[in-house]
Amino acid sequence: MKGQGRGLQAYALLYLLFLYAPIILLPLFAFNSGTIIAFPLQGFTTGWFAQMWANATLRTALTNSLIIAVSAAILATCLGIFAARASTRFEFPGKGGMMGFILLPMVLPEIIVAMSLLVVLLGVGVELSILTVILGHVLICMPYAIAILSTAFSSLDRSLEEAAYDLGETRWSAFRLVTLPLVMPGIISSLLISFTISLDEFIIAFFLAGNQPTLPTYIFSQLRFPKQIPMIMALGTVLVALSIVLLTLGEYFRRRGNARMGGNPTGGFL
Amino acid sequence: MAKGLDAQARQGYALIAPPFLYALLILAAPLLTILTYSFLTDGYLEVVRDFTWANYAQVWTDPIVRTVMLRSLVVSALVTLVTVLLAFPVAYYVSFMVRPEKKATWLFLITIPFWTSYLIRVFLWKVILGYNGVINSSLTGLGIIDEPLTFILYNVNSIVITLAHAYAPFAILPIFVALEKIDRSLLEAGRDLGESRAMTFWRVTLPLAMPGVLAAVLIVFIPTIGDYVTPELIGGGKIPMIANLIQVQMLALDNRPLGSALAVTAMAIVALVSIVFLLINRRFLKVRS
C-alpha cells in the first residue's frame, strides 16, 4: 500500500510540475536582460517592466479590459443569481432544458459563439466596440457564475428563510436580509472568477472589439514581433501574479462561505 | 396542491427568465442566423437571399476542408486521450490518497495555472518545445542529444502537448468528483471477497468512476476541436484546424455563407461524435442511476 501511494504521489507532483512549467519560466524571461526568449539566461533587469509601464497602447488595452471585465463580472453574476436561485429553489416543467441551454456556452467552442454573434451584430448594423465584447463575455461567464452560485444557494438552509417569513418579513426583505448575506461569499467568488475569465478571454474580444485593443488581443498582436516579446513576458508575469491573488481571494471567500453553512471544504471552481 | 405547484412554477419561470432570455438573444438567435446563412448564396459584399445547398456541397467535397476537418478530429481525439489518461492517476491520488483536509488545496493548486493568461501559456509551450527551446537546449547542453528533437517542433505533437496542458483541470475535476462519490465500503467488500487490489480497481473503482471519465472526455473533446489560438501560435498558421478555416472564410475572404456552412458542419460533427460516444457508453452511465 505504501509503495503504491509513493509512486502515485511522485506522479502527481510531476504532473503539477508539468502544469506549472510555463508559469515558472515566465518570470525568468521577464527579468532576463537578453532579448531572445531562450536559455542560457543573460543578466538581471527590470527594464522590460519599465518599458511595459511606458507603453501607451498597452494602457488603453488595460483600461478597456478592466471596463469589460468589471461590467461582465457584475452582469454575469446578477443573471447568475437569478438562474441559481431558480434552479435550486423552484421546480417547474422544462427546468432542465432551460438550465442546460444557459450552461451551453461552457462546452460550446468559443469561435462559434464569437463568429455567430459577429455575423448578427454586423447584420443588424451595430458598431463593434467594447460594449459588444461585454455582451459576449457575459454569455460565457454566466455558466461559471451559475456553477459557483448554485453551490452557494443549494447549501442554504431553507428553514432560515421560512423563519424570516414567520417573523413578518416579505419575500424580498427575507431574501435581502437572510439569503443574500449567507450567499455573499459565493457572490464574491463568482464576481472574481467572472472577472478573471473575461480579463483573459481572447477569441470573443478578437472578433467583437472592432479596432479597440484589449489585453489579450494586444498580447496576440505583439507575439508576432520578437522585439516585443520580453515586454510581453513582463506583462504576463504581472497578470499571473494578479490572477493568483484574485483566485486566492476567491478561494478564501468560497471556503469561508462553506464553513459558514457547515458544508464540506472540498470542491473546486468548476 | 395543484395551485401551489403553479405558484412555484410561476416564480421559477419569473426568476429564470432574465438569464434565459439573455441566452436566447445572444446565443440562440446568432446560432439560428448562421444556420440560415449557411443555406444562402454569397454575393459581392453582401449575402444574397437565394436558398442553396452549394455551400455544404463545397464543404463536403473540398479536399482542403476535408484535410483540416480530419486533422481537427484527430488532434482533438489525441488531446482527449492524452489529457484523460494523464489526469486519471492525479484525480485518483487526490481522491484516495490525500487526507480530506488537504484535498481542497490540491484542487486549488491544480486549477491555478488554468486561470492564467491562455495566450502566454501557449506561447511559452512554443518556447519550451521550440528549436532553441528549453527542452532542446538543455538536452543538447547536457550532451544527451546532438541535434534538437524534431518530433516536438511546431507540429501536431506540440499542439497536442499544449492543449493537453490547457485542458488538464477539465479532465481532473469531473473524474475527481466521480471518485469522491464512490462508497469506500464497496472497495473493502471487494477486498474481503478475495479480489486483489488490481482486480478491485478494475471491477469496482473504474466502472464507478466511468461517468466522470466520460464527462471529462466530452468536456475536453468539444472545446479543443474549436481551438483557434494554439494552431495559430504553435503551428505558425501552417497547420490550421477548423476554427482557423472558419475565421479565414468569415473575415479574410468575407464569404459568410461558406463560413457558416463550415461552422454548422463542425458543430454537427461534434454533436454526432458526442452522441455516438454517449450511446456506446450507456452501460456505464446506467451504473449511477
Side-chain angles (χ1 to χ4, degrees):
Chain A
M1 186 70 203
K2 265 274 168 279
Q4 188 201 4
R6 284 277 159 68
L8 265 177
Q9 186 177 35
Y11 174 78
L13 289 173
L14 268 179
Y15 193 87
L16 274 190
L17 187 67
F18 164 66
L19 286 183
Y20 279 83
I23 301 181
I24 295 168
L25 287 173
L26 194 55
L28 293 183
F29 292 126
F31 288 108
N32 175 25
S33 61
T35 47
I36 300 165
I37 305 298
F39 285 107
L41 299 174
Q42 307 283 312
F44 180 84
T45 177
T46 51
W48 307 122
F49 289 89
Q51 190 185 338
M52 174 187 92
W53 191 248
N55 188 320
T57 322
L58 179 57
R59 212 166 290 176
T60 317
L62 176 68
T63 318
N64 284 341
S65 273
L66 287 177
I67 295 172
I68 294 169
V70 169
S71 324
I74 294 173
L75 288 171
T77 304
C78 288
L79 289 171
I81 291 175
F82 281 100
R85 172 90 173 153
S87 80
T88 53
R89 182 72 163 75
F90 300 100
E91 288 305 328
F92 46 91
K95 184 171 97 169
M98 286 166 109
M99 283 306 288
F101 180 65
I102 296 172
L103 295 174
L104 185 65
M106 214 172 196
V107 288
L108 210 60
E110 271 175 18
I111 185 103
I112 303 278
V113 176
M115 271 304 161
S116 53
L117 199 50
L118 176 71
V119 167
V120 169
L121 290 171
L122 291 180
V124 178
V126 177
E127 203 169 323
L128 297 179
S129 66
I130 56 176
L131 275 178
T132 46
V133 181
I134 295 175
L135 283 181
H137 278 188
V138 171
L139 184 76
I140 57 157
C141 290
M142 203 159 59
Y144 292 90
I146 292 172
I148 296 165
L149 290 165
S150 296
T151 325
F153 274 103
S154 63
S155 43
L156 198 66
D157 187 351
R158 196 182 283 192
S159 58
L160 291 175
E161 253 173 62
E162 274 155 18
Y165 297 147
D166 292 345
L167 291 169
E169 296 292 345
T170 62
R171 187 168 283 144
W172 166 240
S173 65
F175 180 78
R176 193 170 55 89
L177 295 170
V178 178
T179 315
L180 211 53
L182 282 171
V183 294
M184 199 38 108
I187 292 176
I188 293 172
S189 178
S190 153
L191 284 171
L192 290 171
I193 293 294
S194 305
F195 178 86
T196 317
I197 293 174
S198 167
L199 196 65
D200 188 36
E201 203 287 328
F202 168 69
I203 299 284
I204 289 174
F206 188 49
F207 292 127
L208 298 186
N211 49 13
Q212 291 284 334
T214 70
L215 270 186
T217 58
Y218 177 74
I219 291 173
F220 186 76
S221 69
Q222 298 303 302
L223 287 177
R224 255 173 268 172
F225 307 111
K227 231 180 74 185
Q228 298 287 357
I229 286 172
M231 185 193 79
I232 296 298
M233 295 293 110
L235 175 62
T237 309
V238 174
L239 287 178
V240 167
L242 189 75
S243 341
I244 292 178
V245 170
L246 285 180
L247 291 167
T248 313
L249 271 177
E251 175 74 1
Y252 169 76
F253 279 109
R254 199 184 59 79
R255 283 192 197 184
R256 210 177 68 171
N258 271 357
R260 195 186 286 186
M261 287 183 287
N264 67 14
T266 52
F269 289 118
L270 291 173
Chain B
M1 194 62 210
K3 206 174 175 204
L5 261 179
D6 280 348
Q8 206 200 40
R10 250 206 315 280
Q11 260 185 302
Y13 284 129
L15 272 173
I16 209 170
F20 186 67
L21 290 179
Y22 189 83
L24 276 185
L25 200 66
I26 305 293
L27 183 64
L31 288 180
L32 279 178
T33 309
I34 59 166
L35 186 64
T36 320
Y37 266 33
S38 69
F39 290 107
L40 300 181
T41 312
D42 183 48
Y44 179 67
L45 290 180
E46 58 176 350
V47 174
V48 183
R49 293 177 191 282
D50 286 333
F51 180 87
T52 176
W53 286 99
N55 302 309
Y56 286 99
Q58 200 176 336
V59 166
W60 284 100
T61 51
D62 190 336
I64 300 178
V65 174
R66 200 175 302 162
T67 316
V68 173
M69 198 75 89
L70 208 62
R71 179 189 298 141
S72 305
L73 278 170
V74 170
V75 168
S76 302
L78 272 176
V79 170
T80 309
L81 187 74
V82 171
T83 313
V84 172
L85 283 182
L86 287 178
F88 190 92
V90 178
Y92 184 86
Y93 172 75
V94 177
S95 179
F96 282 78
M97 309 278 175
V98 173
R99 269 182 290 145
E101 66 273 18
K102 289 262 177 80
K103 282 181 185 175
T105 309
W106 265 91
L107 292 181
F108 183 56
L109 283 176
I110 287 165
T111 38
I112 279 192
F114 168 70
W115 296 112
T116 59
S117 176
Y118 181 54
L119 284 167
I120 291 179
R121 265 186 294 150
V122 171
F123 179 77
L124 280 167
W125 276 108
K126 192 178 173 181
V127 171
I128 295 172
L129 303 169
Y131 194 80
N132 287 316
V134 176
I135 291 182
N136 277 324
S137 59
S138 12
L139 286 181
T140 37
L142 291 169
I144 297 170
I145 52 169
D146 300 326
E147 289 289 304
L149 302 171
T150 48
F151 71 95
I152 49 170
L153 284 181
Y154 324 115
N155 55 20
V156 169
N157 288 337
S158 38
I159 293 183
V160 171
I161 296 175
T162 307
L163 286 172
H165 178 263
Y167 285 90
F170 282 105
I172 296 180
L173 293 177
I175 299 175
F176 170 78
V177 171
L179 288 171
E180 279 295 278
K181 281 188 192 153
I182 295 177
D183 188 347
R184 299 302 197 258
S185 58
L186 289 175
L187 304 182
E188 280 168 32
R191 301 298 312 280
D192 289 347
L193 292 169
E195 294 275 36
S196 69
R197 185 167 285 117
M199 280 311 278
T200 314
F201 176 80
W202 184 244
R203 309 222 316 207
V204 181
T205 314
L206 200 57
L208 287 174
M210 254 352 232
V213 175
L214 298 185
V217 166
L218 287 180
I219 226 167
V220 174
F221 178 77
I222 298 173
T224 43
I225 209 163
D227 193 85
Y228 173 85
V229 172
T230 305
E232 192 75 14
L233 284 181
I234 298 270
K238 291 193 190 73
I239 16 180
M241 296 208 339
I242 194 66
N244 311 79
L245 210 58
I246 295 174
Q247 190 261 343
V248 167
Q249 283 301 337
M250 284 282 203
L251 295 185
L253 301 180
D254 198 34
N255 188 343
R256 286 188 210 149
L258 189 61
S260 301
L262 273 173
V264 172
T265 310
M267 277 195 288
I269 292 178
V270 172
L272 199 70
V273 171
S274 312
I275 290 169
V276 168
F277 184 78
L278 283 176
L279 285 180
I280 293 173
N281 291 291
R282 226 170 7 177
R283 191 165 69 89
F284 288 116
L285 292 170
K286 263 190 206 144
V287 177
R288 274 275 162 246
S289 54

